[in-house]
């Protein structure tokens, strides 16, 4: 038994977290439980980054997605409480479009899965279980060197969405 | 075989021992801080504080702890049973991880990680999530209001907190607590509180808000929301939230003393005594604030953050980056 084979049980654990969280997120009746499932999935993904020897990205995943994005989603759920019932519950019996929506979601996620699977099968890299750690300096050099264009594009997209949110807020205020 | 011993068994033993030591530290601290807080409150309000149980009331926290453990656990009707009990656990567990990378002395680090600061910031963010879950699953409007306040407050104050910590990361060039401590070992004026006074001020205010301490204790505000997010918790459910709050005070004070007050550096005494002294000094300042200032209103709370702390910390960060570039 060598050290590299120790990676497999850990990989399995993270995989279980990701898939279990995903199933909870889809199947849960209450929106908050679905959100908790999503958070478990995000933790699993952070673990995968750790296995890929990129602890900076793993901690950032927890800091940003779990600590900020999930919490803001929670805020949105709390603010959208319906007037006649509990917040965040989906009534299956009443909704007539339930079946067709299920079909559409399976179709969409299947398409996504097929695309990702094709990319992975085509460009599968050789498996390296234990790599040296990717340092922050290396990440910085990558982001400001070969990946500077996508990096800037992402920041522009974020800026646009932020400006849009501010603009929407102003319009809402004028209407009052 | 030796490889497994070296890379798997030894670190595991190290981590387990460190975790046990840290949990003991947290539990003892809980007892001490409860007593200290009540004595400080009594002193500031010119009353004796606890003095009946034991000499000078020293056994009062033990009696409190026994009472909390013996109380019945009650869950309100219509509460989400899983999330209701998961919330206090989720609030308390990250504390142990947050204290792991902090150097309490020259050789007293639980787990020396290169990205220690980031680790603490990432896992301390889980507390908000726990507060949200507690508030939502209690099925009670006061709890829900407390949770909503907790989210707005902590999301807002996390920004200046991160920006002020980033200033230190810029000047030190590292996210490792040991490196930050080492950079402040050249006498009193190499401490970051003198290099970055504004960053320390912003860090401390934001940390008070992140730990929900008065004057920023709006998520629990007894006088308006009964007890906010933990209204419905009894016995050890409440006990865990309480312990978590005091433990986050320790985390924040420990991070503050390492980042700004020179960590375990200091003359005459050995390092861990200095570190302990600095942590408790910061905690006493927090208690002093709590019993001196009235609670702020919610719009005031958010205005302080968005109109003052965030612009100031952004300017501080830009200034730091500029100076570092000029010096190089």
């Amino acid at each position: 038994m060598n050290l590299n084979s120790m990676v497999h049980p850990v990989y399995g654990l993270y995989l279980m977290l990701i898939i279990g969280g995903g199933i909870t997120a889809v199947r849960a009746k209450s929106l908050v439980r679905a959100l908790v499932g999503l958070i478990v999935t995000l933790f699993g993904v952070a673990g995968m980054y750790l296995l890929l020897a990129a602890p900076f990205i793993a901690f950032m995943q927890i800091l940003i997605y779990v600590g900020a994005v999930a919490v803001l989603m929670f805020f949105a759920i709390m603010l959208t409480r319906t007037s006649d019932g509990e917040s965040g519950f989906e009534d299956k019996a009443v909704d007539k479009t339930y079946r067709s929506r299920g079909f559409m979601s399976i179709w969409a996620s299947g398409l996504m899965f097929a695309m990702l699977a094709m990319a992975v099968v085509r460009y599968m890299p050789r498996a390296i279980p234990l790599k040296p750690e990717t340092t922050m300096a290396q990440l910085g050099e990558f982001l400001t060197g070969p990946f500077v264009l996508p990096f800037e594009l992402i920041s522009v997209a974020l800026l646009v969405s932020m400006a849009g949110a501010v603009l929407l807020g102003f319009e809402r205020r004028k209407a009052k | 075989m030796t490889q497994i011993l070296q890379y798997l068994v030894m670190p595991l033993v190290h981590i387990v021992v460190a975790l046990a030591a840290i949990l003991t530290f947290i539990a003892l601290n809980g007892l001490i801080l409860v007593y200290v807080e009540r004595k400080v409150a009594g002193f500031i309000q010119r009353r004796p504080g606890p003095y009946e149980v034991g000499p000078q009331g020293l056994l009062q926290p033990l009696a409190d702890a026994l009472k909390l453990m013996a109380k019945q656990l009650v869950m309100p009707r219509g509460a989400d049973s899983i999330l209701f009990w998961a919330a206090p656990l989720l609030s308390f567990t990250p504390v142990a991880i947050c204290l792991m990378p902090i150097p309490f002395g020259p050789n007293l680090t639980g787990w020396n990680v290169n990205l220690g600061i980031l680790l603490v910031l990432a896992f301390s963010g889980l507390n908000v999530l726990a507060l949200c879950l507690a508030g939502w699953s209690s099925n009670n409007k006061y709890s829900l209001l407390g949770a909503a306040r907790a989210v707005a407050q902590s999301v807002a104050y996390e920004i200046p907190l991160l920006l002020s910590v980033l200033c230190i990361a810029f000047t030190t060039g590292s996210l490792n607590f040991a490196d930050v401590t080492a950079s402040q070992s050249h006498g009193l004026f190499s401490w970051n509180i003198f290099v970055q006074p504004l960053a320390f001020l912003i860090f401390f205010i934001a940390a008070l808000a992140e730990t929900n301490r008065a004057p920023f204790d709006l998520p629990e505000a007894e006088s308006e929301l009964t007890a906010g997010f933990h209204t419905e918790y009894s016995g050890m459910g409440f006990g865990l939230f309480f312990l978590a709050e005091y433990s986050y005070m320790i985390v924040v004070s420990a991070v503050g003393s390492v980042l700004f007050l020179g960590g375990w550096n200091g003359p005459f005494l050995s390092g861990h005594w200095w570190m302990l002294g600095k942590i408790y000094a910061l905690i006493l300042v927090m208690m002093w604030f709590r019993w001196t200032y009235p609670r702020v209103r919610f719009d005031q709370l958010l205005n302080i953050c968005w109109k003052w702390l965030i612009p100031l910390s952004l300017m501080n960060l830009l200034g730091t980056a500029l100076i570092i570039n000029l010096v190089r």
Side-chain angles (χ1 to χ4, degrees):
Chain A
M1 186 166 131
N2 67 351
L3 204 61
N4 281 347
S5 68
M6 287 307 295
V7 172
H8 296 303
V10 183
Y11 180 81
L13 176 74
Y14 293 147
L15 206 64
M16 263 160 57
L17 279 184
I18 293 175
I19 294 176
I23 290 173
T24 315
V26 176
R27 299 291 307 169
K29 245 185 165 178
S30 101
L31 259 183
V32 175
R33 281 200 183 184
L35 183 63
V36 172
L38 177 66
I39 290 166
V40 172
T41 302
L42 292 174
F43 261 106
V45 174
M48 286 293 182
Y49 285 133
L50 273 184
L51 269 190
L52 288 171
F56 182 75
I57 298 183
F59 293 150
M60 274 302 181
Q61 166 95 4
I62 295 175
L63 182 71
I64 294 172
Y65 281 94
V66 179
V69 173
V71 168
L72 283 178
M73 281 182 183
F74 204 101
F75 201 48
I77 293 173
M78 281 197 293
L79 288 180
T80 52
R81 180 181 266 254
T82 52
S83 56
D84 55 337
E86 276 301 300
S87 69
F89 278 95
E90 200 173 358
D91 200 352
K92 285 180 186 174
V94 177
D95 204 336
K96 283 169 191 162
T97 56
Y98 182 73
R99 223 167 255 276
S100 71
R101 273 195 295 164
F103 178 72
M104 277 194 288
S105 61
I106 286 173
W107 202 81
S109 54
L111 191 71
M112 193 73 100
F113 179 78
M115 277 163 70
L116 276 176
M118 253 167 64
V120 167
V121 168
R122 223 182 207 176
Y123 305 103
M124 188 158 30
R126 203 161 49 83
I128 321 166
L130 283 182
K131 294 194 295 184
E133 183 183 322
T134 314
T135 60
M136 239 165 45
Q138 280 173 314
L139 281 176
E141 275 162 18
F142 271 124
L143 283 184
T144 48
F147 293 102
V148 70
L149 191 66
F151 181 63
E152 287 298 321
L153 277 179
I154 289 169
S155 61
V156 168
L158 282 177
L159 189 70
V160 167
S161 60
M162 216 147 72
V166 172
L167 201 71
L168 283 177
F170 273 123
E171 274 179 5
R172 189 77 52 81
R173 193 174 287 177
K174 257 184 215 159
K176 272 180 187 172
Chain B
M1 198 59 207
T2 48
Q3 201 192 12
I4 288 177
L5 202 68
Q6 190 187 347
Y7 289 106
L8 198 73
V9 178
M10 291 313 283
L12 208 65
V13 170
H14 187 108
I15 284 177
V16 168
V17 169
L19 263 182
I22 279 171
L23 286 176
T24 319
F25 179 64
I26 289 172
L28 284 178
N29 252 306
L31 289 180
I32 294 169
L33 286 181
V34 169
Y35 178 74
V36 171
E37 173 124 67
R38 294 176 70 175
K39 273 294 182 193
V40 168
F43 177 70
I44 288 178
Q45 298 171 343
R46 300 195 65 185
R47 54 188 176 82
Y51 68 98
E52 286 284 353
V53 190
Q56 295 295 316
L58 269 173
L59 297 180
Q60 184 68 48
L62 272 180
D64 286 350
L66 276 178
K67 181 198 75 178
L68 277 182
M69 276 187 249
K71 264 186 163 179
Q72 189 191 359
L73 294 172
V74 185
M75 194 174 71
R77 188 180 299 158
D80 191 317
S81 55
I82 299 176
L83 298 182
F84 186 76
W85 296 118
L89 290 176
L90 186 67
S91 177
F92 179 69
T93 358
V95 175
I97 303 173
C98 287
L99 282 174
M100 285 290 264
I102 288 171
F104 286 98
N107 298 311
L108 209 59
T109 312
W111 184 26
N112 191 3
V113 212
N114 269 333
L115 300 167
I117 298 178
L118 202 60
L119 183 79
V120 173
L121 289 174
F123 278 93
S124 58
L126 292 184
N127 193 33
V128 201
L129 205 63
L131 302 197
C132 285
L133 289 181
W136 184 83
S137 63
S138 294
N139 197 22
N140 170 331
K141 56 190 163 199
Y142 295 116
S143 304
L144 199 65
L145 274 176
R149 284 180 171 192
V151 174
Q153 177 175 339
S154 70
V155 166
Y157 276 86
E158 204 160 338
I159 305 166
L161 187 84
L162 288 177
L163 290 179
S164 59
V165 170
L166 207 56
C167 288
I168 302 303
F170 273 18
T171 47
T172 319
S174 167
L175 284 176
N176 188 336
F177 281 114
D179 293 346
V180 177
T181 312
S183 76
Q184 302 175 73
S185 58
H186 322 292
L188 183 66
F189 287 99
S190 67
W191 289 8
N192 279 327
I193 188 173
F194 298 107
V195 184
Q196 293 273 4
L198 187 62
F200 177 69
L201 200 69
I202 293 167
F203 174 84
F204 198 65
I205 295 175
L208 277 178
E210 286 283 313
T211 46
N212 299 328
R213 290 286 299 183
F216 303 127
D217 61 342
L218 287 123
E220 31 194 303
E222 297 92 342
S223 49
E224 29 192 300
L225 292 183
T226 58
F229 60 89
H230 58 61
T231 306
E232 296 290 353
Y233 284 89
S234 64
M236 272 324 273
F238 167 75
L240 273 180
F241 274 122
F242 199 66
L243 196 59
E245 188 183 321
Y246 277 101
S247 314
Y248 277 110
M249 276 170 73
I250 299 167
V251 171
V252 159
S253 309
V255 171
S257 14
V258 174
L259 291 185
F260 294 97
L261 299 178
W264 47 263
N265 289 308
F268 311 125
L269 290 170
S270 52
H272 41 272
W273 292 115
W274 274 106
M275 183 69 184
L276 213 57
K278 284 168 187 171
I279 293 176
Y280 276 102
L282 280 183
I283 288 178
L284 281 176
V285 172
M286 286 163 101
M287 288 180 177
W288 177 30
F289 277 10
R290 172 168 179 188
W291 299 105
T292 308
Y293 293 117
R295 185 180 300 131
V296 294
R297 232 171 39 223
F298 203 72
D299 57 320
Q300 290 170 335
L301 172 95
L302 289 182
N303 276 346
I304 297 170
C305 183
W306 291 104
K307 293 190 178 161
W308 284 100
L309 292 183
I310 291 180
L312 271 179
S313 53
L314 270 176
M315 270 169 3
N316 195 30
L317 186 70
L318 282 179
T320 311
L322 192 71
I323 289 171
I324 287 176
N325 266 324
L326 286 182
V327 168
R328 268 186 205 152

